[in-house]
């Protein structure tokens, strides 16, 4: 799932287990939602990928400050067998 930032907000880059730094995720940034794995975010936060780096953001931010981005190439793909074709001849 991807989100495009519409209102800038803070993300937290994890460097080590005990160290992190904050950054403002700018308008237009494309965030890729990461599922929970062995590296779990803090309570109330989710993990996203931006520019090849993993950030923790507040779980409410994608809903309040982003718009869900749909990959049109995938969403417009046929959802069943192709229909009959019409020949012009």
């Amino acid at each position: 799932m991807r989100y495009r930032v519409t209102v800038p907000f803070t993300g937290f880059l994890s460097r080590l287990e005990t160290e992190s730094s904050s950054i403002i995720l700018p308008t237009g940034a494309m965030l890729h939602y990461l599922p929970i794995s062995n590296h779990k975010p803090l309570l109330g936060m989710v993990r996203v990928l931006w520019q090849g780096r993993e950030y923790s953001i507040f779980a409410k931010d994608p809903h309040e400050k982003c718009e869900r981005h749909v990959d049109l190439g995938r969403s417009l793909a046929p959802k069943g067998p192709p229909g009959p074709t019409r020949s012009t001849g």
Side-chain angles (χ1 to χ4, degrees), residues 56-68:
S56 293
I57 62 172
F58 292 104
K60 64 180 178 134
D61 286 340
H63 305 289
E64 295 177 358
K65 300 174 182 173
C66 297
E67 62 185 15
R68 194 166 172 185

Side-chain angles (χ1 to χ4, degrees), residues 2 12 33 44 60 63 69 89:
R2 297 189 313 167
F12 301 92
Y33 178 82
K60 64 180 178 134
H63 305 289
H69 188 268

